[in-house]
Amino acid sequence: MAGGIIGEEEIEKVREASDLVAIIGERSPVRQRGHDFWCCCPLHNEKTPSFKIDPVKQLWHCFGCGEGGDVFGYVMKTEDLSFPEAVRKLADRAHIPLSEGGGRNSGVASSYKERLKAVCAQTSDFYHKQLMRNPEPRAAEARTYLSGRGLGGEVPKRWQLGFAPGNGQLVRHLSSLGFKPKEMVDANVGMEVQGGSLRDRFYNRVMFPINDAQGECIAFGGRVMGKGEPKYLNSQETPIFHKSQVLYGLDHAKGRMAATGVAVVVEGYTDVIAMHEVGIGNAVATLGTALTMKHIRVLSRHAQHKIVYLFDGDEAGQRAADRALGFIDGSMTPEAGRSRVELCAVTLPDNLDPADFIEARGAEAMQALIDGAQPLLKYGIDRRLAGFDLSSAEGRARALAEALSVLAPIKDSALARDYAVQIASRVRAREEDVLVQLSQLQPPRRSDQRDEEREAVADVRPMAGGGAQDARPAGPALTQGEVNRRRFEREFLSLMAQNPAVALQHADVIAQTQWHDRAHAALAQSLLSTLSDDPSASAARIVTEASRVLPAAPGILTSGSTASSAAPASLAAFLVEELAIGDAEDAVDAMRAQMADPASLDPDEFEMLFQTVSAMQKDLSRRKLDHKSLSS
C-alpha cells in the first residue's frame, strides 16, 4: 500500500474493529473458561492450553513460552510482520481504508520500506528476464552453470533465479520505472561511485532473490560463475533486510514445516533448492552467517517438533558444527516443559554438501540422514570424545574435560547428570567424580545472548528524571532476594498496564520507584508517557506503545499471575508497599556502606547516619510485620 505514516487515530480504529478472540480463533480453537478464553499456543508446540485471551482488555499471554501482546502483536508474531504491516493486514480484514497521512501522533513510518520492497521486486523480475531471455554469451553461461548444478528446466521459474549483467543496465531500468537513486542504494541493488554516479551492485553473477516469510523479495545473493571472489556476494543490511533474522527458502518451506513439525537448516542457496526439488520441502539456509537464536525462534514458530542442523562434511562445515554447540541451553532440557526446543544435528559424510550428496546418493538417503539426526547435546559430546585417544589415560582425562564442557550451560539439569554418567562410562572414570566435576563447571555466556542484551539496552530510549539510563544493570548472578524483587516489579508493571485507571492512581509510585531492572525502568516511563498523553488510553494501547520502546514489553506487561483472585486495587496496594519496603531497604544498605568506613566521615555525619539507620530500621520492622499480616 502506498502512502505515508499511519496515524494514531487510524491505528485505534483498526484495533477497535479487530476482535482478538475472533482473530485468534481463526487459527486455533478457543474455549471460554470463566472470564477469559484459552487455547493451545500457536507459537510453540503444546497439548494443554496455556494461551490466555482477555476479551475485555484485548490482550493475550502464553504462560508456556512467555510471549504476549495485543492484536497487532499477535499478527506480527504469527505471520512474521512488522507493526505497520500488521496494521494494514487487519485494516484490510476490517475493510478500513488507511490514509497514512501522518500527523502529530503518528505511528511508525513504513511507506519507504514499501518503496524498497518495490525496488527489490522489480530488480528480481529484471534479473529473471535477463537469465531467461538475454542472448548474450554471459547470460548463456549462467544458464549452463545452473543446468550443470541440476537447476535447469522449470527450477529457475519456480525460484525466480536470475542473472545480473551489470554495466548499469539495472540502474537504467529502475530509473525508467521512476525509482530514485537513494532508493536503489538503500535497497542495496545500486552503489554510488566517485562523482556521484550510480552503478549496479551485482555484476556477472547468477542471482538468488531472498524473500521474507510472506514471499516478498527483500534482498539478493549473487554467485560468481567460475573463479572469482567473493564466491557469494549477499546484500548488505538494509531497512528491510536483517540477515540474522532471515532464512533463505522460508517462504517455500514453512508449509511443509508446519505439516511435518521439522525444519532442516543447511548452508547454501543451491542446497535448499536441490532438497526442495527432490521433495524435502522443509529446508532453509542461513545467509552467510551462523545460525542464531533469532533464527531458531523464527523456525520454532513453523516447525514445532524439532530443528535439524545439517552440516557439510568439509572443514568449514565442521567449524560451523562447533559453533552450533553454543546454542545449548536450558531450553533443550525436559525442565523447559512446553517451551522446549529440540535442536538436532548431523554431518554429511565424505566432505559432501547437500546438493552433491543428493546427486550421488539420492533423496531417500538424505531423508534417512535427517531422520537419524542426533540431539545437539549427544552430537556435541560425541564430537568432543572423538577428538581424543581414549586408549590412553592422558587422552581420557582431556576427553572428559572437553565432553563435560558441552554440558556446562545445563549443568544443574537431570539431563546433564544423565549425560555425565554416560561420559564417565566412555572414559572409564568414576561416576561420582564426574558428577562433582559437572557441578563445579561455570556456565558460559552465549555471544548471541550478549548481543541480545545490548540490543535490548539500545532499544531503551534515554529518558530524563529517573529514566532507564539511571537504572542499575542486571548482574551476572542474582540473589534470591533480587530475583523476588524483580518478580514483584514485573507483576506491578503488568498490573498497571492492564488496569490503566489503577495506574493513574499510582502514577507517583511508578515515577519514584527505584527499578532494579533496566527494562522495567523503561516500561515504567513508557506507561507514564502514554497515560500523560491520553489518560483514557486502553490497556492494549499501553502495551503497543511500550513495545515501541522495548521489543520484550508485550511479554512482560501481559504476564500477570493467573493465580491471584484479588481485586486490582487491593493487589496494587500490596505491590506498592512491597516495592516501597524494598526501596527503603536499599537506602538503609547504602547508608550502612557509608558507615563501614568511619574514617571518611566526621563524627557528626557518622552520628547522623547512625540515628537515621536506626530509625529507618525500626520503621521497616513495623512495616514488614504489617505487610506480612496483609499477605497471609
PDB file of all heavy atoms in Angstrom, residues 44-45 64 330-331 333-341:
ATOM      1  N   HIS A  44       4.161 -22.115  19.804  1.00  0.00           N
ATOM      2  CA  HIS A  44       5.009 -23.246  20.172  1.00  0.00           C
ATOM      3  C   HIS A  44       4.125 -24.480  20.355  1.00  0.00           C
ATOM      4  O   HIS A  44       2.912 -24.380  20.508  1.00  0.00           O
ATOM      5  CB  HIS A  44       5.822 -22.954  21.434  1.00  0.00           C
ATOM      6  CG  HIS A  44       5.055 -23.054  22.720  1.00  0.00           C
ATOM      7  ND1 HIS A  44       4.199 -22.061  23.153  1.00  0.00           N
ATOM      8  CD2 HIS A  44       5.000 -24.030  23.656  1.00  0.00           C
ATOM      9  CE1 HIS A  44       3.666 -22.423  24.304  1.00  0.00           C
ATOM     10  NE2 HIS A  44       4.127 -23.607  24.628  1.00  0.00           N
ATOM     11  N   ASN A  45       4.747 -25.623  20.346  1.00  0.00           N
ATOM     12  CA  ASN A  45       4.006 -26.889  20.397  1.00  0.00           C
ATOM     13  C   ASN A  45       3.579 -27.198  21.828  1.00  0.00           C
ATOM     14  O   ASN A  45       4.399 -27.238  22.732  1.00  0.00           O
ATOM     15  CB  ASN A  45       4.906 -28.010  19.871  1.00  0.00           C
ATOM     16  CG  ASN A  45       4.148 -29.313  19.710  1.00  0.00           C
ATOM     17  OD1 ASN A  45       2.952 -29.297  19.463  1.00  0.00           O
ATOM     18  ND2 ASN A  45       4.842 -30.422  19.851  1.00  0.00           N
ATOM     19  N   GLY A  64       3.228 -20.607  28.635  1.00  0.00           N
ATOM     20  CA  GLY A  64       4.199 -21.631  28.284  1.00  0.00           C
ATOM     21  C   GLY A  64       5.483 -21.046  27.732  1.00  0.00           C
ATOM     22  O   GLY A  64       6.580 -21.338  28.199  1.00  0.00           O
ATOM     23  N   GLY A 330      19.183 -24.167  28.620  1.00  0.00           N
ATOM     24  CA  GLY A 330      18.100 -24.805  29.350  1.00  0.00           C
ATOM     25  C   GLY A 330      16.867 -25.097  28.527  1.00  0.00           C
ATOM     26  O   GLY A 330      16.045 -25.931  28.914  1.00  0.00           O
ATOM     27  N   SER A 331      16.705 -24.440  27.372  1.00  0.00           N
ATOM     28  CA  SER A 331      15.521 -24.680  26.543  1.00  0.00           C
ATOM     29  C   SER A 331      15.525 -26.074  25.920  1.00  0.00           C
ATOM     30  O   SER A 331      14.519 -26.509  25.365  1.00  0.00           O
ATOM     31  CB  SER A 331      15.430 -23.625  25.434  1.00  0.00           C
ATOM     32  OG  SER A 331      16.491 -23.775  24.508  1.00  0.00           O
ATOM     33  N   THR A 333      16.266 -28.868  27.671  1.00  0.00           N
ATOM     34  CA  THR A 333      16.086 -29.864  28.717  1.00  0.00           C
ATOM     35  C   THR A 333      14.603 -30.137  28.978  1.00  0.00           C
ATOM     36  O   THR A 333      13.754 -29.273  28.702  1.00  0.00           O
ATOM     37  CB  THR A 333      16.732 -29.392  30.028  1.00  0.00           C
ATOM     38  OG1 THR A 333      16.020 -28.244  30.513  1.00  0.00           O
ATOM     39  CG2 THR A 333      18.193 -29.020  29.817  1.00  0.00           C
ATOM     40  N   PRO A 334      14.274 -31.301  29.521  1.00  0.00           N
ATOM     41  CA  PRO A 334      12.862 -31.579  29.852  1.00  0.00           C
ATOM     42  C   PRO A 334      12.286 -30.558  30.826  1.00  0.00           C
ATOM     43  O   PRO A 334      11.077 -30.309  30.824  1.00  0.00           O
ATOM     44  CB  PRO A 334      12.928 -32.979  30.485  1.00  0.00           C
ATOM     45  CG  PRO A 334      14.144 -33.600  29.899  1.00  0.00           C
ATOM     46  CD  PRO A 334      15.137 -32.469  29.748  1.00  0.00           C
ATOM     47  N   GLU A 335      13.149 -29.962  31.661  1.00  0.00           N
ATOM     48  CA  GLU A 335      12.654 -28.967  32.625  1.00  0.00           C
ATOM     49  C   GLU A 335      12.036 -27.753  31.946  1.00  0.00           C
ATOM     50  O   GLU A 335      11.284 -27.002  32.553  1.00  0.00           O
ATOM     51  CB  GLU A 335      13.797 -28.518  33.538  1.00  0.00           C
ATOM     52  CG  GLU A 335      14.253 -29.568  34.537  1.00  0.00           C
ATOM     53  CD  GLU A 335      15.350 -30.460  33.995  1.00  0.00           C
ATOM     54  OE1 GLU A 335      15.495 -30.568  32.765  1.00  0.00           O
ATOM     55  OE2 GLU A 335      16.074 -31.054  34.806  1.00  0.00           O
ATOM     56  N   ALA A 336      12.371 -27.530  30.660  1.00  0.00           N
ATOM     57  CA  ALA A 336      11.825 -26.380  29.937  1.00  0.00           C
ATOM     58  C   ALA A 336      10.345 -26.547  29.638  1.00  0.00           C
ATOM     59  O   ALA A 336       9.665 -25.588  29.291  1.00  0.00           O
ATOM     60  CB  ALA A 336      12.589 -26.164  28.640  1.00  0.00           C
ATOM     61  N   GLY A 337       9.847 -27.785  29.755  1.00  0.00           N
ATOM     62  CA  GLY A 337       8.411 -28.025  29.569  1.00  0.00           C
ATOM     63  C   GLY A 337       7.955 -27.700  28.160  1.00  0.00           C
ATOM     64  O   GLY A 337       8.587 -28.064  27.172  1.00  0.00           O
ATOM     65  N   ARG A 338       6.864 -26.952  28.077  1.00  0.00           N
ATOM     66  CA  ARG A 338       6.245 -26.679  26.781  1.00  0.00           C
ATOM     67  C   ARG A 338       7.097 -25.787  25.891  1.00  0.00           C
ATOM     68  O   ARG A 338       6.898 -25.733  24.687  1.00  0.00           O
ATOM     69  CB  ARG A 338       4.862 -26.041  26.992  1.00  0.00           C
ATOM     70  CG  ARG A 338       3.832 -26.990  27.568  1.00  0.00           C
ATOM     71  CD  ARG A 338       2.463 -26.342  27.633  1.00  0.00           C
ATOM     72  NE  ARG A 338       2.418 -25.229  28.552  1.00  0.00           N
ATOM     73  CZ  ARG A 338       2.087 -25.332  29.824  1.00  0.00           C
ATOM     74  NH1 ARG A 338       1.777 -26.519  30.321  1.00  0.00           N
ATOM     75  NH2 ARG A 338       2.047 -24.277  30.608  1.00  0.00           N
ATOM     76  N   SER A 339       8.029 -25.036  26.469  1.00  0.00           N
ATOM     77  CA  SER A 339       8.862 -24.144  25.668  1.00  0.00           C
ATOM     78  C   SER A 339      10.137 -24.824  25.180  1.00  0.00           C
ATOM     79  O   SER A 339      11.014 -24.181  24.624  1.00  0.00           O
ATOM     80  CB  SER A 339       9.233 -22.895  26.487  1.00  0.00           C
ATOM     81  OG  SER A 339       9.958 -23.258  27.649  1.00  0.00           O
ATOM     82  N   ARG A 340      10.242 -26.137  25.369  1.00  0.00           N
ATOM     83  CA  ARG A 340      11.460 -26.850  24.991  1.00  0.00           C
ATOM     84  C   ARG A 340      11.694 -26.787  23.482  1.00  0.00           C
ATOM     85  O   ARG A 340      10.766 -26.906  22.689  1.00  0.00           O
ATOM     86  CB  ARG A 340      11.354 -28.310  25.424  1.00  0.00           C
ATOM     87  CG  ARG A 340      12.603 -29.132  25.129  1.00  0.00           C
ATOM     88  CD  ARG A 340      12.416 -30.576  25.523  1.00  0.00           C
ATOM     89  NE  ARG A 340      13.616 -31.356  25.289  1.00  0.00           N
ATOM     90  CZ  ARG A 340      13.696 -32.668  25.390  1.00  0.00           C
ATOM     91  NH1 ARG A 340      12.599 -33.340  25.739  1.00  0.00           N
ATOM     92  NH2 ARG A 340      14.818 -33.307  25.155  1.00  0.00           N
ATOM     93  N   VAL A 341      12.954 -26.584  23.100  1.00  0.00           N
ATOM     94  CA  VAL A 341      13.367 -26.587  21.702  1.00  0.00           C
ATOM     95  C   VAL A 341      14.235 -27.813  21.472  1.00  0.00           C
ATOM     96  O   VAL A 341      15.242 -28.001  22.163  1.00  0.00           O
ATOM     97  CB  VAL A 341      14.163 -25.311  21.349  1.00  0.00           C
ATOM     98  CG1 VAL A 341      14.700 -25.402  19.931  1.00  0.00           C
ATOM     99  CG2 VAL A 341      13.303 -24.075  21.521  1.00  0.00           C
TER     100      VAL A 341
END
